[in-house]
Amino acid sequence: MTEPRPGTSVLQGAQPIARDPAEPLPLLRRELDTGPNGLSGREAARRLAVYGPNEVRRKSGSPLWREVVAQLVHPLALLLWAAAGLAFVADIGVLGWAIVAVIVVNAAFALLQERQAERAVETLARYLPEHALVIRDGKPQTIEARDLVPGDLVVLAEGEKIPADARLTDGGLEIDLSMLTGESAPVERIAGPGTVGATLLQEPNLVFSGTTCGEGQARGIVFATGNHTELGRIAALSQRTRRDPSPLEVQVKKVAWLIAGVAVALGAVFLLLGVVVGLPLTDALTFAIGLLVANVPEGLLPTITLALAVGVRLLARQGAVIKRLSAVETLGSTNVICTDKTGTLTQNRMRLEAVWTPEHGLTSGPWAGQMVHAMAQCTTVTRGDHGDLHGDPTETALLAGAAELAHPVDPDARDRGRQALFRFDPRLRMMSVIQRDAESGRLRLIVKGAPEAVLPRTLPGTPQESVRAAEEELGGRGMRVLAVAVRDLPVGTVPPTRREDAETGLRLLGLVGLYDPPRPEVVAAVRRCHEAGLRVHIVTGDNGATAAAVAREVGIGVPHLHVVPESESISDEELDHLLVTGGDAEVVFARSSPETKLKVADTLRAHGQIVAMTGDGVNDAPALHRAHIGVAMGLSGTDVAREAATMVLTDDNFATIVAAIESGRRVYDNVRKFIVYIFAHLTPEVVPFLVFALSAGAVPLPLTVLQILAIDLGTETLPALALGRERAEPGTMSRPPRPSSQGVISRDMLIRSWGYLGTVSAVLVMTAFFYVLWRAGWHPGDPTGAGTPLHHAYVTATTATFAGIVTCQVGTAFAARTDHAALRDIGLFTNPLLLAGIAFELAFTAALVYLPPLQGLFGTAALPLDVIALVAAFPVIVWGTDELRRWVRRTRRPTGP
């Protein structure tokens, strides 16, 4: 018994062993212990009990409660729990419940994303038909498809789904294998011997579970059911591939733990410091709680979530539906795109591109139309009720080309004149028809197929070398090349009944080149990828020459293109060399399999690359699930691919991927902008408590805990969200992708937010605080408690601190709109949402300062005009100093990421 070939499923364990389902039929029957009359009912029942039902089964996942708990103890969720607890302690129940609601909503959303793999497997199961026609006890009977077992003899007919993997024993079928191979053209499957060296999916006598019969009728022996089928194998791959956290998820967790650690450590240290310097314990505790609240950015997680949600909506308008929020950020760090060819780079619309004849070469004369007319007669395309053509895309292109060359072929008239049809044979690689001419009544045999199949059947004297040179020229331009030859039958001749007798002594008419043109916008999209430092590889089931020609036409592989003609056989070492150490070359992986795509994704991930992988078939699901960004086709893709993917293209267009990457970069930049904005206020919120502690209470608390919560959850949220809608800075797609190791929060960001913007803001707000107190005659150590003469001045001073932080937020918001560019480069009024957010925070602040019910709750008092004039200057000072800093940076070194 021979060893299994690559791509062959070996059924072991409880399954009967069919080491090669394409082996000689008597041997296969013996291995599966079946016969021409199928199994007996008793034997089928026994095998069903032993082997299990014919269905795609999924592994049980982790308990729901464990997944829920995991989402509720996420680091940022823990910080929010702490903020909620402090809000309840401070007797602000409304804020506390609002924070709890944010935690629950975020946990529920994340939980839904974790179930994507299971939904993909459940969608796979829907590809199986509900019933199957089998021969049992020598009689045909209809059974539930899940009751099929290895060794069953199934009857397959036009329009039905195939219920299990089977070897054809008689008859022939035209099968749509696109869900497994990704190629849209139907293929012929006929009973007969196997092909030496062919993979499982290329065997001409095998059919597979979940695929659809287009034409014909046949019988077949089931050799694999359930999880042992090709469909089941793909489901197993989908379940084995894990979805790792996105870079943003990893980085936000690190930042959350960092913030939590700093906040708790500072609170503990300064609690002890307060006790050491003689503060009463109550004041020391108040100080520690205030410091903790000031360090915890309560609005960070909801702001990030909502900013990513905005990015999702914007991408949806561009034709890219994102199924996982964090994927928006991942798109921005993508540095490798692995794309299909057909339908993504190309229009998925074959057209007649070139005609070659031995007498005239590449030509467009009347003889070209006559030749294409003959070839179009050798088709099986039909016309629908609305006049549209149905059938193989290649044959549809031939009919359309004949019409364009003024020699149209009517499918109905063609069929009326047809005397014989020898269907396309995948082993012979050609088909032929015998047509009766409507005018002369003579019979003509027309053959079309691969040139290497047709040429040996032509008459002596055919210019073989010229034909092969023309074939190489057309193939090198990315065309699918077909040859057409004819033989006129003498009057009164009976049409041959065997194709061996018919397809001989042929006269070559010429060659045609059929082309699936690239989408017109792809060239510019690929160029933008290269400008942005992205590499683009093609992973396709098509042949290498065609894919390489398309790659060169759209600019992939500039300056170096490497073509792997049989990518199924590539080793891990070769992959490492091509994808990692192979320099700047881009690669075409031709004749790829599901495992190939998975290996490519794993190799790139193993070397720290952020991978976007496109796909449309069921066979693509494992790789789509494994890639950082799985991109499914919305128009031509299968439900399984769409379920497994992270992003679905509603227009199947490569250019949309590039637009999504640019949007991802913009969203990531905007996340950093509002983090700078939020963090910049930590310094002016912390400094008042430090002044209070370091002065041993001689300086009263310049800010209250409730006022900090009002800032963090009230005034700063809307401007932060508006920064998430900021337009892209100039040069966003002219810089290389950021390294995957680069954190969302960098040292420069912390220096800018805490050390620069924060310090300037802290100096300004403390100036306002002391100005109000000194104007009232206060000296360090003077009592300011309730009932003292300076109490109203103290409340006014804390209000000035609070209002000063808010006005500093306005200046910070304008400063944070750009990282390198000047504000005039993007325009002062180009973000109306930010202007609305600023208007809201000013109105909210005015309400807290001037409305008596809120004054009592938040400990505020009305500000006099001179204090209002003072804090009104803060936005210009904060923005102006940062604008000056950015100008200095631009003049010292070139703009970078």
Side-chain angles (χ1 to χ4, degrees):
M1 193 177 297
T2 59
E3 284 300 311
R5 73 189 71 191
T8 299
S9 296
V10 179
L11 312 182
Q12 297 179 357
Q15 293 275 12
I17 298 176
R19 298 187 70 83
D20 188 350
E23 63 194 356
L25 191 57
L27 181 58
L28 182 67
R29 289 186 191 276
R30 186 163 62 250
E31 289 180 346
L32 293 173
D33 195 17
T34 188
N37 292 325
L39 301 174
S40 67
R42 290 174 59 186
E43 175 63 17
R46 187 192 68 80
R47 293 190 183 189
L48 182 62
V50 173
Y51 309 140
N54 174 39
E55 58 188 11
V56 176
R57 298 183 294 275
R58 64 178 179 87
K59 300 175 182 177
S60 58
S62 58
L64 179 62
W65 67 266
R66 185 174 297 173
E67 296 183 16
V68 171
V69 170
Q71 297 302 331
L72 294 178
V73 297
H74 180 280
L76 275 181
L78 291 176
L79 291 182
L80 288 177
W81 282 120
L86 291 172
F88 287 122
V89 168
D91 200 25
I92 310 178
V94 174
L95 284 178
W97 287 116
I99 296 172
V100 170
V102 170
I103 298 170
V104 172
V105 169
N106 278 285
F109 187 87
L111 191 63
L112 289 175
Q113 305 311 306
E114 296 298 325
R115 299 279 177 170
Q116 278 188 0
E118 295 180 12
R119 289 204 300 272
V121 175
E122 290 164 2
T123 305
L124 274 170
R126 293 203 295 269
Y127 275 82
L128 294 176
E130 293 185 1
H131 297 91
L133 181 62
V134 300
I135 307 296
R136 284 186 180 171
D137 297 315
K139 299 176 183 178
Q141 51 184 286
T142 300
I143 64 170
E144 290 189 17
R146 69 187 306 274
D147 293 336
L148 278 175
V149 296
D152 259 326
L153 184 61
V154 294
V155 180
L156 308 170
E158 179 178 331
E160 297 178 352
K161 284 187 176 180
I162 295 173
D165 290 5
R167 159 74 179 272
L168 299 185
T169 59
D170 58 82
L173 299 165
E174 191 174 73
I175 300 294
D176 178 6
L177 279 179
S178 60
M179 61 169 289
L180 292 178
T181 64
E183 296 301 313
S184 57
V187 298
E188 295 268 344
R189 289 292 184 260
I190 56 175
T195 301
V196 177
T199 62
L200 198 69
L201 291 176
Q202 295 171 336
E203 278 290 1
N205 53 20
L206 301 183
V207 294
F208 301 97
S209 174
T211 59
T212 305
C213 303
E215 293 182 2
Q217 189 169 4
R219 292 187 180 190
I221 298 175
V222 173
F223 65 85
T225 60
N227 284 356
H228 292 274
T229 62
E230 284 294 295
L231 198 67
R233 184 172 61 86
I234 292 169
L237 284 172
S238 296
Q239 292 181 95
R240 284 201 299 268
T241 53
R242 66 187 186 279
R243 192 189 295 281
D244 291 339
S246 74
L248 181 63
E249 291 168 326
V250 172
Q251 292 162 15
V252 166
K253 281 188 178 182
K254 291 180 179 179
V255 170
W257 286 120
L258 172 64
I259 293 172
V262 169
V264 172
L266 285 177
V269 168
F270 285 101
L271 173 61
L272 295 175
L273 179 62
V275 174
V276 169
V277 298
L279 284 179
L281 182 60
T282 303
D283 290 348
L285 283 172
T286 302
F287 159 70
I289 292 173
L291 198 63
L292 178 63
V293 173
N295 273 283
V296 174
E298 291 88 354
L300 181 60
L301 179 60
T303 304
I304 288 177
T305 301
L306 291 173
L308 294 178
V310 168
V312 167
R313 288 196 297 273
L314 292 176
L315 285 171
R317 296 193 194 110
Q318 296 175 320
V321 178
I322 302 293
K323 298 167 59 181
R324 188 159 50 112
L325 284 185
S326 59
V328 178
E329 178 271 339
T330 309
L331 276 168
S333 59
T334 298
N335 49 24
V336 178
I337 302 176
C338 297
T339 178
D340 281 330
K341 178 186 70 69
T342 305
T344 307
L345 297 177
T346 67
Q347 300 177 25
N348 197 19
R349 189 169 60 246
M350 297 290 286
R351 72 181 184 207
L352 181 66
E353 186 76 7
V355 178
W356 179 90
T357 63
E359 298 84 5
H360 305 93
L362 289 173
T363 179
S364 58
W367 42 83
Q370 296 167 6
M371 191 194 82
V372 177
H373 177 84
M375 184 174 279
Q377 286 188 309
C378 188
T379 59
T380 57
V381 173
T382 58
R383 191 178 299 280
D385 297 335
H386 303 288
D388 50 333
L389 298 176
H390 298 284
D392 181 84
T394 299
E395 295 191 343
T396 301
L398 290 175
L399 264 72
E404 290 176 3
L405 294 174
H407 286 76
V409 171
D410 177 57
D412 296 331
R414 175 205 63 195
D415 292 345
R416 286 194 298 270
R418 180 160 294 169
Q419 304 300 302
L421 168 64
F422 302 105
R423 290 187 175 274
F424 178 78
D425 187 324
R427 290 169 296 180
L428 299 177
R429 301 185 64 193
M430 62 183 184
M431 70 169 288
S432 58
V433 296
I434 298 178
Q435 296 288 133
R436 184 180 297 278
D437 186 78
E439 297 180 0
S440 65
R442 299 192 60 170
L443 296 180
R444 167 177 272 195
L445 171 77
I446 306 172
V447 178
K448 89 170 189 304
E452 60 268 28
V454 175
L455 278 178
R457 292 170 169 78
T458 57
L459 295 167
T462 301
Q464 305 270 345
E465 293 184 2
S466 299
V467 175
R468 291 192 177 93
E471 179 189 1
E472 289 181 5
E473 179 182 353
L474 297 178
R477 289 160 55 184
M479 301 183 200
R480 181 181 182 187
V481 183
L482 295 177
V484 61
V486 298
R487 179 160 69 96
D488 294 316
L489 303 179
V491 177
T493 302
V494 177
T497 57
R498 298 194 315 159
R499 71 185 309 159
E500 293 86 352
D501 299 330
E503 296 167 345
T504 185
L506 306 175
R507 176 169 57 89
L508 181 72
L509 294 184
L511 307 176
V512 298
L514 298 163
Y515 191 52
D516 180 10
R519 294 176 180 266
E521 61 274 18
V522 168
V523 174
V526 171
R527 183 169 60 249
R528 292 178 67 202
C529 284
H530 291 161
E531 290 172 353
L534 279 77
R535 296 172 72 187
V536 183
H537 304 305
I538 297 179
V539 189
T540 178
D542 210 340
N543 71 74
T546 302
V550 171
R552 294 187 181 97
E553 185 166 349
V554 300
I556 295 174
V558 177
H560 304 297
L561 181 69
H562 189 96
V563 180
V564 182
E566 295 294 335
S567 58
E568 285 190 28
S569 59
I570 193 167
S571 66
D572 290 342
E573 292 75 16
E574 291 173 306
L575 269 179
D576 286 338
H577 175 73
L578 282 175
L579 298 176
V580 182
T581 61
D584 56 355
E586 292 175 322
V587 185
V588 171
F589 294 96
R591 301 302 186 197
S592 65
S593 66
E595 288 81 5
T596 305
K597 280 196 169 185
L598 197 54
K599 284 171 65 176
V600 169
D602 275 333
T603 300
L604 290 168
R605 289 192 67 126
H607 292 277
Q609 306 294 303
I610 306 298
V611 187
M613 175 79 73
T614 73
D616 53 11
V618 172
N619 61 318
D620 295 325
L624 293 178
H625 190 69
R626 182 62 177 142
H628 294 93
I629 297 291
V631 184
M633 303 297 111
L635 295 177
S636 61
T638 61
D639 289 341
V640 175
R642 287 191 286 268
E643 289 288 358
T646 310
M647 180 170 77
V648 179
L649 301 183
T650 58
D651 56 3
D652 291 12
N653 194 339
F654 178 84
T656 304
I657 304 174
V658 182
I661 289 175
E662 181 176 12
S663 292
R665 290 190 176 191
R666 178 182 58 79
V667 168
Y668 179 80
D669 288 346
N670 289 346
V671 168
R672 291 165 64 95
K673 288 174 184 177
F674 67 64
I675 288 177
V676 166
Y677 170 76
I678 290 173
F679 278 20
H681 309 131
L682 298 183
T683 304
E685 289 175 1
V686 169
V687 165
F689 290 91
L690 297 181
V691 171
F692 166 71
L694 295 176
S695 68
V699 176
L701 272 173
L703 195 64
T704 68
V705 174
L706 295 183
Q707 289 168 355
I708 290 176
L709 287 174
I711 293 170
D712 289 350
L713 292 172
T715 63
E716 93 177 357
T717 302
L718 288 183
L721 287 174
L723 287 172
R725 298 289 296 271
E726 194 65 54
R727 63 175 56 186
E729 285 192 53
T732 297
M733 288 295 281
S734 300
R735 65 180 191 235
R738 70 180 187 278
S740 58
S741 58
Q742 177 181 317
V744 68
I745 297 178
S746 64
R747 184 187 64 179
D748 287 346
M749 286 176 62
L750 294 179
I751 292 174
R752 183 187 182 193
S753 56
W754 286 345
Y756 196 84
L757 291 168
T759 300
V760 171
S761 298
V763 169
L764 292 175
V765 299
M766 292 309 299
T767 299
F769 175 75
F770 286 121
Y771 169 76
V772 174
L773 285 180
W774 285 334
R775 190 185 63 167
W778 171 85
H779 295 88
D782 290 348
T784 57
T788 62
L790 292 174
H791 179 66
H792 180 72
Y794 166 68
V795 173
T796 304
T798 60
T799 305
T801 305
F802 166 69
I805 291 177
V806 172
T807 54
C808 285
Q809 282 181 327
V810 176
T812 303
F814 281 106
R817 291 186 63 193
T818 65
D819 187 29
H820 304 283
L823 183 60
R824 67 175 179 273
D825 292 337
I826 62 172
L828 181 63
F829 303 107
T830 53
N831 190 341
L833 287 177
L834 179 62
L835 301 178
I838 290 172
F840 169 81
E841 73 172 330
L842 293 177
F844 181 77
T845 302
L848 265 60
V849 171
Y850 292 103
L851 294 182
L854 296 178
Q855 286 178 337
L857 180 62
F858 287 92
T860 58
L863 295 176
L865 289 178
D866 58 334
V867 177
I868 293 176
L870 176 64
V871 299
F874 289 176
V876 177
I877 297 173
V878 172
W879 165 77
T881 54
D882 190 71
E883 186 80 9
L884 179 62
R885 181 193 64 84
R886 281 180 278 121
W887 176 79
V888 171
R889 284 168 58 93
R890 289 196 302 272
T891 57
R892 286 183 177 178
R893 60 186 178 88
T895 299

